[in-house]
Amino acid sequence: MWSEFAAQRQAAELLHRSLKNNRLSHAYLFSGARGAGKRKMAKHLAKAIFCLRQNGDSCGECKNCRLIEEGNHLDVHWIEPEKNIIRIKQIEDLQKKFSYRAAESSHKVYIMEEAEKMNQEATNRLLKFLEEPPQGVVAILLTSNIHDLLPTVLSRCQIVSFHAPSPEAIAERLEQQGIKQGLARTAARIANDMDEAHTLCQSESFAQLRSLVIQLSEDIMERGTYALVTIHDKLLKQEKDPDRIDLFLDLLLLWFRDLLLFLLGQESQITNNDQMEPIQKQALRISQRRLVDGMGTILVTKNRLTHYANLQLSLEDMVLRLQEG
Ligand SMILES: [Zn+2]
């Protein structure tokens, strides 16, 4: 149902309205970051066009809805890059397929994923197809890089913008790809988009940095000299890349936030929710006030380092401040 697209309500409502009022555009361009749900919405629009039971929506159960779900509906054609390029042959195949079966149903839909990957020839061929759209044909082009598409393509489509996906939506997608929940949630919070979150999860050192953060926090609670040793031996000796240090600080900030959420009784909001044991143990040894101050200290350190402050001194200073609280 259209109402299920809570994160992209505007886009869903626009499409639902056009369909209900019989004012479907002959070409749409869904534009938005990867992971925003463009593909899912394109599939839903196709189902809603062909659904045998619902008027302007999809029941998800009738023959047409099921065939589209499985990718087997004859009047719904998918195009995606082959070896990273969409070629003219793929557009020609589409045209051929749609011209053969002219009279069987009132609509024909084609969905092109990563439309910006069309080469010049394919673009030219598609433009002709868009200029003289055969009766009942609906084009749905998807892109996460709208600036790579020619203005001539954009001007022939109705552009539907998708919001960047929320951290929750990104985490859910990562989990569907088999990434463990705690790691997926952490990466989704830190990354700016789906691609970045996915890359983080794939890197071995991301999980290591996260463990290191938990250990450092533990050492800070002890208020001994361990925390400084940890910073030296486990971080400064291993990581020279400023981006990695910044990532480490982001993870530390997220960890402090989780400790605070625990103290506030908002456990469902906790990101590192696969680490409830250390979270509980550490949170009970620190006050809300110290955590809030600590988060401020971490942010100041992040800011200093972007202005090329001395790395070692800045981190030592941060640890001492976090211990004093
Ligand atoms: Zn249906």
Side-chain angles (χ1 to χ4, degrees):
M1 305 293 275
W2 288 113
S3 53
E4 284 163 32
F5 292 89
Q8 305 291 349
R9 210 171 54 212
Q10 263 177 321
E13 278 175 3
L14 173 101
L15 295 169
H16 189 192
R17 231 180 3 242
S18 321
L19 196 53
K20 244 181 11 195
N21 300 335
N22 228 350
R23 301 181 71 98
L24 218 50
S25 172
H26 71 85
Y28 290 98
L29 176 67
F30 290 3
S31 164
R34 277 193 60 191
K38 300 186 295 294
R39 193 174 190 280
K40 193 175 162 201
M41 185 128 21
K43 198 183 233 184
H44 189 84
L45 177 58
K47 285 182 195 169
I49 289 171
F50 291 102
C51 183
L52 300 168
R53 291 188 198 161
Q54 295 275 339
N55 183 21
D57 208 335
S58 150
C59 72
E61 287 163 5
C62 71
K63 181 172 137 243
N64 280 345
C65 283
R66 275 187 289 122
L67 283 172
I68 293 169
E69 178 61 38
E70 295 156 6
N72 290 326
H73 196 288
L74 288 173
D75 291 320
V76 178
H77 186 81
W78 288 85
I79 300 173
E80 52 194 334
E82 290 169 5
K83 292 183 185 152
N84 227 16
I85 298 173
I86 296 174
R87 295 183 169 80
I88 190 166
K89 172 90 169 45
Q90 292 171 271
I91 315 287
E92 286 170 349
D93 288 348
L94 163 77
Q95 287 178 300
K96 224 179 281 173
K97 183 173 169 186
F98 277 11
S99 64
Y100 283 149
R101 314 187 67 261
E104 282 192 30
S105 70
S106 58
H107 278 104
K108 293 177 191 310
V109 174
Y110 65 95
I111 299 165
M112 182 188 286
E113 298 188 49
E114 301 182 77
E116 75 279 4
K117 295 198 171 154
M118 278 185 290
N119 65 14
Q120 187 68 46
E121 278 181 303
T123 306
N124 289 339
R125 178 54 68 95
L126 181 81
L127 277 170
K128 281 193 195 136
F129 201 47
L130 288 174
E131 270 164 26
E132 296 156 15
Q135 184 74 27
V137 168
V138 178
I140 311 173
L141 313 183
L142 317 183
T143 184
S144 48
N145 291 301
I146 192 167
H147 303 296
D148 290 346
L149 278 163
L150 289 178
T152 41
V153 174
L154 302 186
S155 66
R156 282 167 179 77
C157 298
Q158 180 175 353
I159 297 173
V160 182
S161 298
F162 282 61
H163 302 294
S166 66
E168 290 74 20
I170 292 179
E172 203 183 309
R173 284 279 293 273
L174 291 172
E175 280 175 55
Q176 284 166 3
Q177 292 168 12
I179 290 159
K180 284 190 184 133
Q181 194 186 53
L183 209 58
R185 285 172 64 110
T186 310
R189 272 262 162 232
I190 285 177
N192 296 307
D193 57 36
M194 185 67 202
D195 281 349
E196 198 183 329
H198 190 258
T199 308
L200 276 181
C201 289
Q202 296 301 317
S203 83
E204 209 177 294
S205 55
F206 181 61
Q208 285 169 0
L209 276 183
R210 195 164 77 111
S211 309
L212 183 57
V213 159
I214 300 171
Q215 193 197 328
L216 177 71
S217 177
E218 174 75 35
D219 294 343
I220 285 169
M221 308 290 165
E222 295 282 344
R223 298 196 186 207
T225 50
Y226 291 120
L228 282 176
V229 175
T230 302
I231 280 283
H232 278 271
D233 289 359
K234 303 269 172 63
L235 188 67
L236 287 167
K237 272 191 195 161
Q238 324 271 343
E239 298 285 353
K240 302 290 175 216
D241 181 353
D243 287 345
R244 308 288 305 166
I245 303 286
D246 195 52
L247 176 59
F248 175 79
L249 292 174
D250 281 339
L251 286 167
L252 185 62
L253 193 60
L254 206 52
W255 183 256
F256 268 51
R257 180 180 176 271
D258 281 351
L259 297 179
L260 185 62
L261 287 168
F262 183 86
L263 288 182
L264 294 171
Q266 296 180 15
E267 290 181 35
S268 64
Q269 305 280 319
I270 287 176
T271 301
N272 293 281
N273 64 351
D274 58 336
Q275 302 290 333
M276 289 312 288
E277 211 183 294
I279 286 176
Q280 180 172 9
K281 198 173 130 209
Q282 293 184 18
L284 295 175
R285 294 161 64 186
I286 193 165
S287 67
Q288 290 182 20
R289 175 69 192 271
R290 241 185 98 192
L291 284 169
V292 173
D293 288 348
M295 287 165 81
T297 302
I298 297 164
L299 282 171
V300 167
T301 309
K302 261 174 74 74
N303 189 36
R304 270 194 192 171
L305 289 176
T306 55
H307 292 92
Y308 308 105
N310 180 288
L311 177 61
Q312 184 174 338
L313 288 179
S314 302
L315 290 182
E316 283 174 359
D317 185 51
M318 178 187 78
V319 165
L320 292 175
R321 282 172 193 274
L322 291 176
Q323 284 187 319
E324 284 163 11

